[in-house]
């Protein structure tokens, strides 16, 4: 009977772990300095910035469209060209080549059902995903917590820069940076999440550094 209960607990834990992994969000650290004017008919145009955004191209255009949609949601209007814009929005993004991490799992049992909680900045989960739990978590936990389990993985650091300037005099209106660490170097996954983190609570308080977790994308049933 005790053996059956033990294996039932393992199955329950594994099942909960799988469900929790699907619910894990994308944590990022966002810093912002801003003197953004309230929306009063200002127009903007998105141009390539640093990193992989240099040179533009179809990939950049995809992310520029996301920034455009986010700016429109704030009340600003897209211009047809940089010359016709009130504000120039410079978008840059990059992911490094990664570095190898080697960790040892701790000797402890961690409840597969917790903790999960919400904070003022977003959703936080506990379990394995392409992204870290929180910002400073040194390693992922094994669901059953046996000491001596050594593993290695590659850690990537991604970054998104967003600079907004008034075109007439090149005055800086917004300087933002969003960074994240993950085991995924796919820009197609990273950049959209970094953009969403950047525009969460936009434009924010000048000089603030916040930790924002983008909730996982919900699957539409159909």
């Amino acid at each position: 009977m005790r053996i059956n209960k033990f294996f039932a607990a393992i199955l329950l834990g594994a099942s909960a772990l799988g469900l929790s992994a699907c619910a894990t969000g994308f944590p990022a650290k966002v810093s912002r300095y801003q003197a953004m004017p309230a929306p009063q008919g200002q127009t903007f145009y998105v141009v390539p910035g640093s990193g992989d955004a240099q040179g533009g191209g179809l990939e950049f255009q995809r992310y520029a469209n996301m920034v455009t949609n986010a700016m429109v949601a704030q009340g600003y209007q897209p211009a047809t060209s940089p010359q016709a814009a009130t504000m120039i929005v410079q978008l840059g993004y990059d992911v490094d080549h990664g570095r190898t991490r080697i960790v040892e799992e701790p000797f402890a049992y961690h409840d597969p059902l917790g903790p999960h909680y919400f904070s003022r900045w977003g959703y936080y989960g506990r379990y394995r995903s392409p992204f870290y739990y929180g910002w400073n978590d040194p390693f992922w936990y094994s669901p059953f917590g046996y000491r001596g389990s050594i593993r290695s993985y590659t850690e990537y650091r991604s970054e998104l820069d967003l600079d907004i300037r008034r075109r007439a005099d090149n005055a800086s209106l917004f300087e933002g940076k969003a960074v994240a660490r993950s085991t995924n170097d796919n820009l197609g996954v990273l950049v959209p999440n970094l953009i969403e983190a950047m525009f969460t609570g936009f434009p924010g308080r000048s000089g603030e550094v916040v930790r924002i977790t983008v909730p996982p994308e919900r699957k539409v049933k159909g």
Side-chain angles (χ1 to χ4, degrees):
M1 179 67 68
R2 296 179 64 183
I3 294 178
N4 289 339
K5 288 183 178 181
F6 175 75
F7 282 106
I10 290 178
L11 291 175
L12 176 61
S15 175
L17 177 61
L19 293 173
S20 300
C22 295
T24 302
F26 178 93
K29 183 166 65 175
V30 180
S31 59
R32 297 182 279 214
Y33 294 87
Q34 65 95 6
M36 287 291 291
Q40 294 178 335
Q42 300 95 331
T43 59
F44 67 91
Y45 194 88
V46 183
V47 300
S50 59
D52 289 337
Q54 293 180 354
L58 294 177
E59 183 181 49
F60 168 78
Q61 195 57 53
R62 176 196 174 201
Y63 307 138
N65 289 340
M66 294 178 183
V67 171
T68 296
N69 292 337
M71 290 288 290
V72 169
Q74 298 295 323
Y76 304 103
Q77 300 301 316
T80 56
S81 68
Q83 294 74 23
T86 307
M87 303 180 294
I88 300 298
V89 180
Q90 192 173 57
L91 172 64
Y93 49 84
D94 197 13
V95 59
D96 66 13
H97 297 293
R99 55 180 175 174
T100 300
R101 294 285 195 179
I102 300 176
V103 296
E104 179 181 358
E105 306 284 1
F107 179 72
Y109 175 77
H110 300 281
D111 183 359
L113 298 178
H116 284 78
Y117 57 93
F118 287 86
S119 79
R120 62 177 297 184
W121 301 120
Y123 176 88
Y124 287 75
R126 175 117 193 190
Y127 300 104
R128 287 192 179 187
S129 77
F131 315 108
Y132 279 106
Y133 161 64
W135 177 254
N136 293 317
D137 198 22
F139 44 71
W140 288 319
Y141 290 95
S142 162
F144 306 116
Y146 294 116
R147 177 177 290 280
S149 176
I150 304 294
R151 65 181 183 84
S152 66
Y153 59 90
T154 302
E155 173 191 286
Y156 299 94
R157 184 182 189 275
S158 54
E159 178 178 307
L160 181 136
D161 296 300
L162 191 73
D163 296 315
I164 304 176
R165 292 183 174 272
R166 190 163 52 224
R167 188 184 67 84
D169 57 3
N170 203 37
S172 180
L173 301 175
F174 183 88
E175 298 174 2
K177 183 185 295 292
V179 294
R181 293 182 295 178
S182 68
T183 59
N184 188 338
D185 64 347
N186 184 352
L187 286 174
V189 174
L190 297 169
V191 175
N193 280 285
L194 290 170
I195 291 173
E196 185 168 348
M198 179 67 73
F199 280 95
T200 298
F202 182 90
R205 294 190 299 270
S206 189
E208 71 178 359
V209 178
V210 295
R211 290 172 172 82
I212 296 173
T213 294
V214 178
E217 182 178 357
R218 294 181 179 179
K219 293 184 178 180
V220 179
K221 295 181 179 180

